Amino acid sequence: MYKQLQQRGAERPPVNVSTLAGMKSKGEKISCLTCYDASFAILVDEAGVDLVLVGDSLGMVIQGYDTTVPVTVDDIIYHSRAVSRTLVRPLLVADMPFMSYSTPEQALGNAVRMMQEGGAQMVKLEGGAGQVEVVRYLASHDIPLCAHLGLKPQSVHKIGGFKVQGRENEAAEAMRRDAKMLQDAGADIVLLECIPSELGAQIAKDLHVPVIGIGAGPDVDGQILVLYDILDITPGRKPRFVKNFMIEGGSPLGAMEAFCAAVKAGTYPAPEHCFS
Ligand code: KIV
C-alpha cells in the first residue's frame, strides 16, 4: 500500500521529476527510449533506462501510418497501460496525440485519462508559445508535463515535411524564448527534436529543467531514441540521429544497455548523428 515509501530506500528507486532534476544538476545524463508493450518494457527497465515514452511514433512503427497524425488518445492509453503493467523504475511518459490538447479543458480531460487509465506519470505535448496557456492550466492541476519543441511531427503537414528546425537566427531565438516560456508555465521537462547542436546546448543552459534531445546534439541533459530504431527493426532510410545499437549490443537487451551506456558516457550522439 505504501509502495512509494517502501521503494524510496531501494538501491535503484523509481525515477520521478525530482530524480531527473537532480541528474541535471549533477551533470548525469538521462537515458530515454520509447516503448509500446509489456515485453519490451521489462527489457528497457532491466537495461537501466531512466525515462520511457509511449510516443505517438507508435502510429508509424506499430500501426504503419506515414505520420503520427492518425494516432488517438485511446491508442496511447492502450499501449501505455501495457507498458505500465511491467515497468518499475523508469518514469513513464505518454504522448498527447494530435488535437487532443487544443483547449486547456480538453487537454486536462485527456491527460487525466492517460494517467488514470494508461498509468502514465507524465504527459508530453508538442508546442511553442501557442501552448503556454495549456501548459499553465495542466501544471496548475499538478499534471507532470514534458513540452516538445523543434521538429514537431504532429505539424508535419503544416511545415512541409520532417526537417531540421531552428537553423535561422530568428527561428533559433524564438525557440529559446518558447522553451523558457514553457518552463516558466510549468513544464517539468523540455524535449528538443532535430535542431542544430549549438541551439540544443544553449537551451539546455538557459533552462533549469532537464532538456532531452533527439537530434539536438550532445550538450543537452539526456537523449531519447525510438526503440525500434536502436534495434534496427525500422527498414529503409532513417533520420541522421538514429544509431543501430544491435551492432555492439548483439541482442535487444544488449542494444538497450549499449544505448544507455553510450548516453551516460556521452559517446552518443557522435558528430555524425548531429545537425549544424
Ligand atoms: O513519439 C515519439 O516517439 C517522440 C520521440 C521521437 C521523442 O515524440
Side-chain angles (χ1 to χ4, degrees):
M1 194 190 289
Y2 294 113
K3 203 165 159 196
Q4 291 261 340
L5 277 179
Q6 282 150 10
Q7 287 171 331
R8 208 185 277 170
E11 200 186 321
R12 287 169 64 74
V15 174
N16 57 38
V17 285
S18 319
T19 321
L20 299 178
M23 289 171 81
K24 173 164 179 137
S25 62
K26 283 186 266 173
E28 185 189 337
K29 297 281 186 190
I30 301 166
S31 61
C32 319
L33 282 173
T34 67
C35 185
Y36 318 99
D37 69 45
S39 298
F40 274 130
I42 293 173
L43 298 184
V44 165
D45 197 336
E46 195 177 332
V49 166
D50 301 306
L51 182 153
V52 164
L53 170 69
V54 179
D56 60 359
S57 50
L58 69 84
M60 298 164 82
V61 300
I62 303 257
Q63 297 172 325
Y65 293 118
D66 289 340
T67 73
T68 59
V69 172
V71 175
T72 65
V73 172
D74 285 340
D75 292 334
I76 295 285
I77 289 174
Y78 175 88
H79 288 278
S80 183
R81 197 186 295 142
V83 170
S84 74
R85 288 195 187 109
T86 56
L87 201 72
V88 179
R89 181 181 166 271
L91 184 80
L92 177 54
V93 184
D95 235 348
M96 301 203 71
F98 179 62
M99 286 300 139
S100 68
Y101 48 95
S102 56
T103 65
E105 293 74 19
Q106 184 201 26
L108 182 61
N110 286 324
V112 167
R113 283 196 63 205
M114 287 182 199
M115 294 181 75
Q116 290 191 325
E117 298 172 42
Q121 296 159 321
M122 178 178 281
V123 297
K124 172 166 91 57
L125 53 79
E126 295 181 10
Q131 263 60 51
V132 167
E133 200 195 331
V134 168
V135 167
R136 201 185 310 285
Y137 191 70
L138 293 182
S140 75
H141 287 81
D142 288 345
I143 305 287
L145 263 173
C146 172
H148 183 150
L149 286 174
L151 172 61
K152 295 178 282 182
Q154 291 171 11
S155 307
V156 62
H157 298 306
K158 184 77 176 170
I159 56 182
F162 295 99
K163 322 184 205 179
V164 179
Q165 303 291 307
R167 274 195 165 132
E168 305 74 28
N169 281 344
E170 214 176 294
E173 282 312 309
M175 207 183 297
R176 286 180 75 176
R177 273 197 308 274
D178 286 359
K180 183 85 173 53
M181 274 196 288
L182 291 162
Q183 168 189 267
D184 294 346
D188 301 282
I189 300 182
V190 169
L191 188 147
L192 302 173
E193 178 163 354
C194 261
I195 62 168
S197 300
E198 202 186 317
L199 179 57
Q202 282 169 337
I203 295 177
K205 241 194 219 158
D206 290 342
L207 303 189
H208 60 76
V209 298
V211 174
I212 309 297
I214 175 163
D219 299 318
V220 288
D221 306 307
Q223 302 290 334
I224 185 162
L225 283 178
V226 169
L227 178 61
Y228 288 19
D229 287 343
I230 74 156
L231 299 181
D232 199 31
I233 291 173
T234 321
R237 192 174 161 189
K238 296 172 197 59
R240 182 183 174 97
F241 51 75
V242 168
K243 178 171 175 189
N244 170 8
F245 280 91
M246 283 297 277
I247 295 168
E248 55 198 272
S251 68
L253 177 60
M256 295 174 206
E257 286 170 338
F259 167 75
C260 275
V263 169
K264 300 279 175 193
T267 52
Y268 173 82
E272 67 266 27
H273 307 119
C274 299
F275 301 104
S276 50

